[in-house]
Amino acid sequence: RVGLDNWKREFRIMLQSMTDTYERDFATRDRLDIICAELQQYIHRANLLELAVWKASCLLGVHESPTSCLMKTTMSEILDSAALQSNAKDPNMYSADNFKKECRVKSGAEIIIPGVLSFLEDEPIERILQEFQSLGYVATTNHQDFPAS
């Protein structure tokens, strides 16, 4: 978790520095705004993926088999199941907060998210270049001009 939290914090600091930068040149400011918007969408995707991984971890934490966990769809249903299981073992030991924290730590998000985002990392760059080209900031390039490697 520490690595993922550090990455998100560093990402936010970088975005903040880009948005706080004063640019007298309007074209440069436009480019920075386009880049910031794409990076914000990228971090938003990472946050959604983290939530999905966390929920899956909660589902698997309650059920023995992955197929039986498909019946529970809301977090309250998941927490109710966890409480029932915990109360069967020790009625005084269950805490919804502790269950969610434990699932978050055990989710494996710090491994899953970088692996998934590595497949998406070129998409923001391609959209930024398309936006720059549409605004005339970058000349349109023909990919056939480049030799295949």
Side-chain angles (χ1 to χ4, degrees):
R1 290 272 338 133
V2 173
L4 185 59
D5 290 338
N6 284 340
W7 177 79
K8 289 191 299 188
R9 188 182 74 250
E10 292 295 323
F11 211 92
R12 280 190 222 105
I13 290 169
M14 179 185 66
L15 276 173
Q16 190 64 39
S17 69
M18 290 174 71
T19 55
D20 289 347
T21 302
Y22 173 73
E23 289 295 332
R24 290 175 19 162
D25 179 11
F26 291 117
T28 302
R29 179 75 260 159
D30 283 346
R31 288 184 204 124
L32 281 174
D33 290 343
I34 291 168
I35 292 169
C36 286
E38 285 299 325
L39 291 177
Q40 287 169 342
Q41 286 183 3
Y42 190 73
I43 194 73
H44 181 69
R45 287 179 182 177
N47 290 334
L48 290 176
L49 180 58
E50 183 179 11
L51 289 172
V53 169
W54 185 15
K55 182 178 180 183
S57 176
C58 289
L59 282 167
L60 291 174
V62 172
H63 299 283
E64 295 298 320
S65 71
T67 54
S68 67
C69 72
L70 297 175
M71 295 184 208
K72 307 279 188 238
T73 56
T74 66
M75 200 60 190
S76 61
E77 290 175 331
I78 295 167
L79 293 174
D80 290 344
S81 293
L84 287 174
Q85 284 182 0
S86 179
N87 287 338
K89 296 174 189 169
D90 186 356
N92 299 322
M93 295 300 293
Y94 177 74
S95 164
D97 288 337
N98 288 341
F99 174 76
K100 291 192 289 186
K101 286 176 187 175
E102 181 181 337
C103 289
R104 187 172 186 205
V105 169
K106 291 181 177 180
S107 70
E110 68 280 351
I111 296 168
I112 295 169
I113 291 173
V116 172
L117 289 180
S118 67
F119 287 101
L120 304 175
E121 64 188 11
D122 289 338
E123 288 181 13
I125 294 169
E126 291 170 3
R127 283 195 299 272
I128 289 169
L129 287 175
Q130 288 172 352
E131 184 77 20
F132 282 2
Q133 288 172 352
S134 71
L135 295 172
Y137 294 139
V138 177
T140 316
T141 58
N142 186 351
H143 293 290
Q144 295 174 351
D145 296 338
F146 300 106
S149 50

